């Protein structure tokens, strides 16, 4: 039997691979006296995805260090966060989370009997907790509450009061779960510092806070439940895993914002302590890496090819997902999944389909719209009114796009500009050059005609998904069939608002950083 780890070894296990620790001295002092009590909470909103393996692997570290670990299914938080989980789905989604998180933990060998599982509504509706919410609201400023939730609570144009309550409830959870420490992503930092500031004002102790790094998604931005292309769902079939990895941003030699490399670093390496790059013998054969830094260096030096890296991740990931898929293949859990996450893009069944009826649901989530960066702009060799652009949309190679913007936008204004690109139109030749997308632009209603490319929010990455508010979760069509005229039907309701925001039926076009807009064409159309 192995000897129990000492305080220093426990400290190393608890803090390894973390981005930041608030309260290091207090953590060490507790470890010298007794076992640490710690909790990790997850709001039961969108479907958990593979990046959830990052906190799961840390939970394994906590247990190795002898910690008493509580996992909180924060169902009430899910409702308060701009109603990301509608009240009628709350119970179903919480049950889904309980099942899928436990399946993840089992897939990486974490013993469930050593963990305590709690639902927020088990104690957050009690008289004592409710009174503390009121006590806290009497000392917290609106400024501090808004600032604390800025990185976590969904930011909208007209925020709800519930979003201001969210940070206070998360702070109180530390007291009511009777823990020494809270663990979360570094995006929780403002809530953690909020808790450190305000809990003592109620007579409660300041806790230790442990923060994981945020994992970039496959498009290079944060891996998000609401951005379908940025993440791999835990129940995705092998074909979907292959398809999403194939589309993932993984430029040769580029280690910045590389979602595939980041996934290896933060998910696969901590679980196995090694990673095997699978290659044919003619390219050097398989190579096992026991230090992530060596793999990153070889990729930067282009010793490792993006295709081999993606294939290797695919194999390793499917090994983790297989037992989860198998568990959720039961009729009971299939039914739970469909009930907790009904598909918004599925039309309600029609009583009877006629020849002229439209059985499919025409919704914005069927459009594959992404942020693109214009790498080069040239005049079309055979058409004076057309540009031929190379646009990076987060794929291994830039797309060739032909657009009729010559008389509206000077070439130098397009070069290196962020644009909004429709990516799943059927490619078509325009005067001999195949166009692989459409740059979406605002267009004035009257004469003379004015055209302005739509502008994503500053700071967006190439490949980041653009979606319509309320339609974040649907899966885009692989390719829009011209005869179905899906884009044309949706485009009929595209408009520019009076404050220059792109909209569909008065719902905003968004990225994770905010609204898509144009410079000046109020009330215009979008084409």
């Amino acid at each position: 039997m192995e000897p129990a780890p000492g305080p220093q070894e426990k400290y190393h296990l608890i803090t390894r691979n973390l981005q930041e620790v608030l309260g290091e001295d207090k953590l060490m002092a507790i470890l010298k006296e007794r076992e640490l009590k710690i909790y990790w909470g997850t709001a039961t909103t969108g479907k958990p995805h593979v990046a959830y393996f990052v906190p799961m692997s840390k939970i394994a570290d906590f247990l190795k260090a002898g910690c008493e670990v509580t996992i909180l299914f924060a169902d009430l938080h899910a409702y308060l966060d701009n109603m990301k989980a509608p009240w009628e789905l709350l119970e179903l989604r919480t049950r889904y989370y309980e099942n899928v998180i436990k399946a993840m933990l089992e897939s990486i060998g974490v013993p469930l009997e050593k963990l305590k599982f709690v639902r927020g509504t088990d104690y957050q509706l009690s008289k004592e907790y409710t009174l503390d919410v009121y006590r806290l609201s009497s000392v917290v400023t609106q400024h501090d509450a808004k600032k604390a939730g800025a990185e976590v609570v969904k930011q909208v144009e007209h925020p709800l009061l519930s979003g201001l309550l969210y940070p206070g409830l998360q702070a109180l959870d530390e007291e009511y779960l009777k823990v020494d420490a809270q663990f979360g992503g570094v995006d929780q930092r403002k809530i953690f510092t909020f808790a450190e500031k305000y809990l003592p004002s109620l007579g409660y102790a300041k806790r230790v806070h442990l923060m994981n790094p945020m994992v970039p998604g496959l498009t290079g931005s944060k891996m998000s439940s609401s951005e379908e292309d940025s993440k791999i769902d835990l129940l995705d079939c092998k074909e979907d895993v292959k398809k999403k990895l194939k589309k993932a941003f993984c430029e040769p030699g580029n280690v910045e914002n590389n979602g595939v490399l980041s996934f290896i670093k933060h998910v696969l390496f901590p679980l196995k302590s090694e990673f095997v790059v699978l290659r044919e013998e003619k390219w050097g054969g398989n190579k096992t890496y026991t230090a992530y830094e060596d793999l990153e260096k070889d990729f930067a030096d282009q010793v490792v090819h993006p295709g081999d890296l993606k294939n290797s991740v695919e194999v390793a990931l499917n090994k983790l997902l297989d037992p989860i898929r198998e568990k959720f293949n039961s009729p009971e859990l299939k039914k739970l999944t469909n009930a907790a996450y009904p598909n918004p893009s599925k039309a309600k069944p029609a009583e009877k389909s006629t020849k002229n009826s439209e059985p499919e649901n025409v919704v914005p989530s069927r459009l594959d719209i992404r942020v693109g960066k214009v790498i080069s702009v040239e005049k079309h060799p055979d058409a004076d009114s057309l540009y031929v652009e190379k646009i990076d949309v987060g794929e291994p190679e830039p797309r060739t796009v032909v657009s009729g913007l010559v008389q509206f936008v000077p070439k130098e204004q397009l070069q290196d500009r962020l644009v909004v690109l429709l990516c799943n139109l059927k490619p078509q030749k325009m005067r001999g050059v195949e166009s692989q997308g459409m740059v979406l632009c605002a267009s004035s209603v009257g004469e003379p005609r004015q055209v302005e490319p739509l502008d994503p929010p500053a700071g967006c990455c190439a490949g980041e998904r653009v979606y319509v508010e309320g339609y974040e979760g649907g899966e885009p069509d692989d390719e829009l069939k011209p005869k179905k005229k899906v884009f044309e039907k949706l485009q009929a309701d595209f408009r520019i608002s009076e404050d220059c925001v792109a909209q569909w039926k008065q719902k905003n076009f968004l990225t994770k950083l905010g609204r898509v807009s144009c410079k000046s064409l109020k009330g215009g159309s979008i084409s």
Side-chain angles (χ1 to χ4, degrees), residues 218-251:
L218 300 178
T219 57
S221 58
K222 173 185 170 183
M223 195 175 288
S224 165
S225 295
S226 62
E227 292 184 55
E228 201 63 32
D229 282 345
S230 82
K231 53 93 179 182
I232 293 172
D233 190 275
L234 294 165
L235 303 182
D236 275 348
C237 65
K238 292 185 178 183
E239 292 75 17
D240 284 343
V241 172
K242 182 183 286 291
K243 183 174 76 172
K244 289 181 180 180
L245 281 170
K246 188 177 180 182
K247 290 167 70 175
F249 175 74
C250 190
E251 187 178 52

Side-chain angles (χ1 to χ4, degrees), residues 408-457:
F408 302 109
V409 185
K411 178 180 171 180
E412 57 272 16
Q413 287 186 20
L414 278 177
Q415 181 67 47
D416 297 322
R417 178 181 185 145
L418 289 180
V419 294
V420 176
L421 196 73
L422 179 60
C423 294
N424 60 342
L425 288 173
K426 184 177 181 180
Q428 60 176 337
K429 287 199 172 181
M430 298 178 70
R431 300 291 293 272
V433 177
E434 185 177 78
S435 182
Q436 300 167 323
M438 176 194 292
V439 177
L440 295 182
C441 299
S443 181
S444 62
V445 177
E447 295 294 335
R449 189 180 178 220
Q450 295 175 274
V451 175
E452 297 172 357
L454 295 183
D455 292 316

Side-chain angles (χ1 to χ4, degrees), residues 231-492:
K231 53 93 179 182
I232 293 172
D233 190 275
L234 294 165
L235 303 182
D236 275 348
C237 65
K238 292 185 178 183
E239 292 75 17
D240 284 343
V241 172
K242 182 183 286 291
K243 183 174 76 172
K244 289 181 180 180
L245 281 170
K246 188 177 180 182
K247 290 167 70 175
F249 175 74
C250 190
E251 187 178 52
N254 185 356
V255 299
E256 299 296 324
N257 294 319
N258 186 321
V260 180
L261 268 181
S262 295
F263 186 75
I264 296 169
K265 178 179 181 180
H266 296 297
V267 177
L268 297 177
F269 245 104
L271 292 176
K272 299 290 183 182
S273 300
E274 66 175 30
F275 183 74
V276 181
V277 174
L278 306 171
R279 295 185 295 203
E280 294 182 34
E281 286 300 326
K282 64 180 179 180
W283 303 119
N286 297 350
K287 182 169 181 180
T288 299
Y289 290 89
T290 54
Y292 170 76
E293 293 72 21
D294 295 339
L295 172 61
E296 186 178 276
K297 183 178 185 303
D298 277 1
F299 186 83
D301 295 340
Q302 300 193 32
V303 174
V304 174
H305 187 272
D308 293 329
L309 196 70
K310 289 182 178 183
N311 290 339
S312 306
V313 168
E314 182 187 340
V315 171
L317 180 54
N318 278 319
K319 286 180 181 177
L320 288 178
L321 297 181
D322 279 341
I324 302 172
R325 293 184 189 119
E326 185 178 349
K327 179 174 180 176
F328 274 76
N329 204 31
S330 71
E332 182 187 354
L333 289 182
K334 278 184 179 179
K335 184 179 178 181
L336 173 62
T337 304
N338 292 331
Y341 297 95
N343 189 342
S345 65
K346 282 187 178 178
K348 292 178 181 177
E351 289 180 13
K352 264 191 179 179
S353 180
T354 65
K355 186 177 180 181
N356 296 321
S357 67
E358 289 286 349
E360 61 186 347
N361 203 13
V362 180
V363 291
S365 54
R366 295 182 61 182
L367 304 179
D368 183 2
I369 306 176
R370 302 183 219 166
V371 174
K373 183 173 182 179
V374 180
I375 296 171
S376 67
V377 190
E378 301 295 337
K379 283 276 193 75
H380 193 296
D382 298 318
D384 291 340
S385 64
L386 300 178
Y387 284 131
V388 178
E389 301 126 359
K390 294 287 186 183
I391 301 180
D392 177 8
V393 289
E395 296 171 338
E397 298 295 329
R399 292 196 180 203
T400 300
V401 178
V402 179
S403 54
L405 294 174
V406 171
Q407 60 180 312
F408 302 109
V409 185
K411 178 180 171 180
E412 57 272 16
Q413 287 186 20
L414 278 177
Q415 181 67 47
D416 297 322
R417 178 181 185 145
L418 289 180
V419 294
V420 176
L421 196 73
L422 179 60
C423 294
N424 60 342
L425 288 173
K426 184 177 181 180
Q428 60 176 337
K429 287 199 172 181
M430 298 178 70
R431 300 291 293 272
V433 177
E434 185 177 78
S435 182
Q436 300 167 323
M438 176 194 292
V439 177
L440 295 182
C441 299
S443 181
S444 62
V445 177
E447 295 294 335
R449 189 180 178 220
Q450 295 175 274
V451 175
E452 297 172 357
L454 295 183
D455 292 316
C460 284
C461 299
E464 191 171 316
R465 189 177 177 199
V466 177
Y467 54 90
V468 171
E469 187 177 2
Y471 291 87
E472 296 93 331
E475 182 79 25
D477 292 12
D478 288 336
E479 183 177 282
L480 298 171
K481 306 301 179 189
K483 288 183 179 180
K484 298 286 187 182
K485 297 192 179 299
V486 172
F487 174 69
E488 290 81 357
K489 290 171 184 174
L490 291 165
Q491 186 191 15

Side-chain angles (χ1 to χ4, degrees), residues 24 36 42 78 106 113 130 146 177 214 317 335 346 383 404 428 453 511:
E24 295 177 69
L36 185 75
T42 179
E106 286 172 331
E113 63 273 12
T130 303
K146 187 176 181 182
L177 291 172
M214 298 308 295
L317 180 54
K335 184 179 178 181
K346 282 187 178 178
Q428 60 176 337
T511 73

Side-chain angles (χ1 to χ4, degrees), residues 136 168 170-175 194-207 209:
L136 197 60
Q170 188 167 334
L172 287 172
D173 289 340
E174 297 180 347
E175 174 64 24
F194 172 94
E196 292 188 6
K197 177 179 179 180
Y198 282 107
L199 277 189
S201 69
L202 300 187
Y204 299 142
K206 186 190 294 188
R207 266 64 178 189
H209 293 103

